[in-house]
Amino acid sequence: MSKFRPLAAFDQSGAAPYTLLPFRFTRLDRDRYVASNMAGEYAVLDRTTVEALVKHQLASDTNAYRDLASRHFLIDADSSVGRDLLALKVRTRLSRLSEFTGLHIFVVTLRCEHSCPYCQVSRQSMDTEAFDMTLNTANRALDLVFRSPAPHLKIEFQGGESLLNFPLIRHIIVRAKKINAAQGDRPLQFVIATNLALIDDEMLAFAKEHDILISTSLDGPADLHNCNRPRPGRDSYERTIAGIEKARRVLGHDRVGALMTTTKESLRQPRAIIDEYIRQGFDSIFLRPLSPYGFAVKTKSYAAYDVSSWLAFYFKGLSYIIELNRQGQRFVESYAAIILSKILTPFSSGYVDLGSPAGIGIGAVVYNYNGAVYASDEARMLAEMHDETFKLGDVHTASYEDIFLSDRLLDPLEESVALSVPMCSDCAFEPYCGADPVFHHATQGDYVGRKPTSAFCQRNMAIFRHLIRLMEDDPEVRLIFRSWASRG
Amino acid sequence: MDTPSAVVTFDASLFSEETIKKAAYTFAAAASVDIRRSGVEWVCAFRFLRPMKPEDIHETVESFRIEVLDQDLRERVAAETRETRNSILAVAFSRTGLQRSE
């Protein structure tokens, strides 16, 4: 037998024998396609290249061939290890699934002193203590939290206005730390979601002692914020800003985060909203649309703008933020950062809305003030609209197994996995996207939804395309996005 | 007013039923598509859900033709990579503890 391969084996001029690895492709724009493999690595190709690749006609001496081999779209005699590497990357991407529920949300009260028309949780008036979580309910919920096998636990307090039931927050934190210490001290983090209007020195001292993060709401400049978030005295903005400053002084600058919600009034002022965040010393903003739950539906706030209006707002805001980065101002749009981390790194962010399998129950779970357990924050918002589809049980009567093996959780999880959903299963953006059965149930009446008419699909497909186009067309944007991806 | 319509045909020896159905589904936001086999052809009758200009109808029909070609390629990729895909998923889940023998 010859020691050497025949000359023909070194002929790189024609199509080489190669094997395809699993990949999907979707139109990016008129002339280009995005192809992605199972680990989410992507390539932008013209149609001729896609066709040549699939028909085994791609010449091995082309850049496209080398690029696709290095990104595990094909393997040949020189790159057969690609299959194993791809499997490892897919495993890394899915590893979060085995960690199970890390985020546990306690709705300590539904009471709130604000009366925001877009409220998605259907808050109750100040004097109705029937909407406060009791000590007994909190203790039962805590027992469930510590049954979770998650290596890291995060307990988040929400409302209404969570600080209206501060004594219970104090009790839960002290008790959680005690249980955790007895169990071997897993990393345990606490977040209080609050409008900050009621925060005082005693609360801040407690937050400092227990290393608590604060998450507040800031919708933009004073006029917009106060219009969106009415309260007695019409001083929501002033109280929020004062609260942010006060909390930062005690807890540290980076211990206070803020979230905004887009209303119809927000749509014409993305720059002013972003400028407000910069003025207040934040280094990121999460440009969020309204969700179809609670008062947002009742007051028609949700229906006040459509997907394309929100996308126009989002793209204008993103463009402005990119411009700021070009000028040396480091500032991040958080939703883009979450998506970019999925596109540009092998890691999964754990962001519940962009999980497939969906993040409901297995990424986050909600213990409502009355003891009801819901599969996500959106699920409890839906329940306040008298739709209990995603109620998994009650802390007083259900065991951990009853709740997490409930058909009410497993059915939507199983049915909505994007890998096997019509359209999603062929979509190149599937590795970056999510299933969101709660949204699809709320808007289309089933867990899967009809993707051609799904607002979730329209919004996210447009964002994926936009982000990839920006990266492909401008190397400087690609560098900026790479730095964002590490924060997603 | 009648909603606009259009008819597109494909050689049934070149394209599978699955391919035609998948392509039609992606257009569900714009039109309902009635698919029939007529001899050696697939006949796809579009009924658009909203009034459209003739040039927009033409563009949609052309997009549909390309989508059918794309779906055909996707079908080939799926068939060729099915085993690899399953083995990669098996490796990916092998240490998660999510699969346990009874």
Side-chain angles (χ1 to χ4, degrees):
Chain A
M1 199 167 94
S2 168
K3 282 186 178 177
F4 301 102
R5 290 158 74 188
L7 190 60
F10 298 93
D11 179 8
Q12 302 275 301
S13 59
Y18 58 81
T19 305
L20 292 178
L21 291 176
F23 75 92
R24 287 169 283 200
F25 61 92
T26 296
R27 259 177 137 166
L28 177 63
D29 47 35
R30 199 171 183 82
D31 304 314
R32 297 181 293 180
Y33 282 77
V34 177
S36 69
N37 68 20
M38 290 175 78
E41 288 163 301
Y42 84 90
V44 172
L45 310 166
D46 57 39
R47 199 177 189 290
T48 315
T49 307
V50 174
E51 197 165 342
L53 170 67
V54 177
K55 293 182 173 172
H56 292 262
Q57 293 166 349
L58 198 60
S60 60
D61 58 348
T62 58
N63 286 337
Y65 184 99
R66 285 187 284 269
D67 196 29
L68 291 166
S70 71
R71 295 186 203 192
H72 317 307
F73 286 78
L74 63 89
I75 47 172
D76 56 22
D78 296 328
S79 60
S80 55
V81 70
R83 186 188 281 118
D84 297 331
L85 281 173
L86 181 60
L88 282 173
K89 287 178 181 176
V90 176
R91 181 197 281 183
T92 305
R93 214 176 171 83
L94 295 173
S95 60
R96 187 178 285 270
L97 286 177
S98 64
E99 296 179 359
F100 220 60
T101 324
L103 174 60
H104 298 260
I105 296 170
F106 282 66
V107 181
V108 289
T109 181
L110 265 196
R111 288 185 294 144
C112 189
E113 27 57 83
H114 276 62
S115 50
C116 310
Y118 66 49
C119 180
Q120 291 153 88
V121 304
S122 310
R123 87 274 150 183
Q124 297 293 324
S125 59
M126 288 280 281
D127 53 355
T128 42
E129 287 184 14
F131 294 97
D132 282 4
M133 183 180 269
T134 65
L135 209 64
N136 186 30
T137 301
N139 290 344
R140 301 287 295 217
L142 272 175
D143 291 342
L144 293 169
V145 171
F146 286 95
R147 287 288 311 277
S148 169
H152 305 86
L153 293 171
K154 185 192 276 186
I155 294 177
E156 183 171 312
F157 301 100
Q158 289 198 11
E161 167 46 42
S162 59
L163 292 182
L164 283 168
N165 198 0
F166 184 70
L168 189 74
I169 293 178
R170 184 193 288 270
H171 166 81
I172 292 170
I173 289 174
V174 171
R175 189 177 167 97
K177 287 180 102 169
K178 203 169 160 186
I179 299 171
N180 194 41
Q183 273 197 0
D185 250 347
R186 278 182 274 185
L188 174 62
Q189 197 178 35
F190 301 100
V191 180
I192 298 178
T194 166
N195 60 40
L196 287 172
L198 305 170
I199 201 152
D200 62 24
D201 292 341
E202 187 197 342
M203 294 170 183
L204 282 170
F206 182 80
K208 173 81 176 165
E209 184 188 345
H210 295 279
D211 203 21
I212 298 167
L213 289 162
I214 300 289
S215 173
T216 194
S217 298
L218 178 61
D219 279 1
D223 284 358
L224 176 63
H225 183 98
N226 284 336
C227 167
N228 282 353
R229 303 179 60 81
R231 77 178 301 281
R234 296 179 180 183
D235 59 352
S236 176
Y237 173 84
E238 290 71 16
R239 282 176 177 257
T240 301
I241 298 304
I244 289 171
E245 285 169 7
K246 200 170 176 180
R248 280 176 172 161
R249 270 200 304 277
V250 177
L251 305 177
H253 190 91
D254 295 337
R255 308 301 289 170
V256 183
L259 287 172
M260 62 79 66
T261 300
T262 310
T263 60
K264 193 179 175 192
E265 287 67 35
S266 315
L267 293 178
R268 56 189 165 77
Q269 42 187 323
R271 278 183 175 235
I273 295 167
I274 292 160
D275 286 340
E276 178 66 30
Y277 268 68
I278 292 171
R279 199 162 37 248
Q280 300 308 331
F282 291 105
D283 62 1
S284 66
I285 189 168
F286 197 143
L287 297 172
R288 297 189 312 163
L290 269 169
S291 300
Y293 311 107
F295 291 166
V297 173
K298 206 186 271 183
T299 62
K300 298 190 168 56
S301 301
Y302 175 71
Y305 57 85
D306 59 12
V307 176
S308 56
S309 306
W310 184 82
L311 283 169
F313 161 82
Y314 180 80
F315 292 151
K316 263 187 215 160
L318 187 65
S319 166
Y320 180 49
I321 292 170
I322 290 169
E323 206 43 52
L324 291 171
N325 278 266
R326 285 190 209 272
Q327 291 163 15
Q329 167 98 43
R330 184 161 160 69
F331 193 79
V332 174
E333 199 291 303
S334 300
Y335 194 60
I338 289 166
I339 293 167
L340 288 164
S341 84
K342 292 180 142 218
I343 296 177
L344 298 172
T345 79
F347 306 106
S348 150
S349 69
Y351 180 65
V352 172
D353 293 2
L354 288 179
S356 176
I360 57 168
I362 57 179
V365 68
V366 176
Y367 308 99
N368 208 11
Y369 68 94
N370 57 2
V373 182
Y374 294 104
S376 71
D377 206 18
E378 289 73 18
R380 69 116 171 177
M381 295 172 187
L382 205 57
E384 296 300 340
M385 300 163 73
H386 313 293
D387 182 341
E388 300 252 309
T389 303
F390 297 94
K391 181 181 174 185
L392 307 181
D394 189 295
V395 298
H396 298 286
T397 53
S399 69
Y400 182 82
E401 287 75 13
D402 292 339
I403 290 166
F404 288 95
L405 294 175
S406 130
D407 286 344
R408 286 187 174 213
L409 177 59
L410 298 185
D411 285 350
L413 280 174
E414 192 180 335
E415 286 179 31
S416 67
V417 173
L419 270 175
S420 54
V421 160
M423 246 170 87
C424 301
S425 60
D426 290 323
C427 180
F429 303 122
E430 186 275 331
Y432 321 133
C433 202
D436 211 341
V438 182
F439 179 91
H440 286 108
H441 169 81
T443 56
Q444 297 190 319
D446 73 71
Y447 303 142
V448 175
R450 290 174 74 240
K451 304 304 179 188
T453 52
S454 155
F456 177 90
C457 184
Q458 283 170 42
R459 176 162 52 89
N460 284 304
M461 293 269 279
I463 294 174
F464 300 143
R465 284 194 169 99
H466 190 73
L467 294 176
I468 290 175
R469 268 198 298 261
L470 288 172
M471 277 194 286
E472 289 299 308
D473 296 345
D474 189 335
E476 193 181 354
V477 173
R478 176 172 278 272
L479 284 177
I480 292 167
F481 280 4
R482 281 206 175 278
S483 71
W484 292 12
S486 61
R487 289 184 40 152
Chain B
M1 195 174 85
D2 282 348
T3 51
S5 58
V7 175
V8 195
T9 59
F10 294 91
D11 186 334
S13 68
L14 297 178
F15 300 103
S16 73
E17 182 180 337
E18 186 74 5
T19 293
I20 302 290
K21 280 183 186 169
K22 280 188 166 185
Y25 184 69
T26 66
F27 282 76
S32 65
V33 186
D34 179 38
I35 303 168
R36 283 185 200 170
R37 176 81 183 248
S38 173
V40 293
E41 286 186 328
W42 292 115
V43 179
C44 304
F46 276 66
R47 184 169 295 164
F48 293 96
L49 305 177
R50 283 170 290 278
M52 286 172 86
K53 292 181 201 155
E55 58 267 33
D56 292 337
I57 293 174
H58 177 73
E59 195 178 320
T60 306
V61 166
E62 287 311 300
S63 289
F64 180 64
R65 288 189 188 282
I66 294 170
E67 185 60 28
V68 168
L69 294 172
D70 288 350
Q71 289 294 350
D72 181 57
L73 291 177
R74 288 184 185 117
E75 210 170 284
R76 289 189 195 205
V77 177
E80 183 178 331
T81 63
R82 188 162 291 123
E83 272 184 36
T84 310
R85 184 170 174 269
N86 289 340
S87 63
I88 286 171
L89 284 175
V91 170
F93 284 104
S94 62
R95 288 189 192 164
T96 60
L98 294 172
Q99 294 171 313
R100 290 203 178 90
S101 53
E102 293 298 316

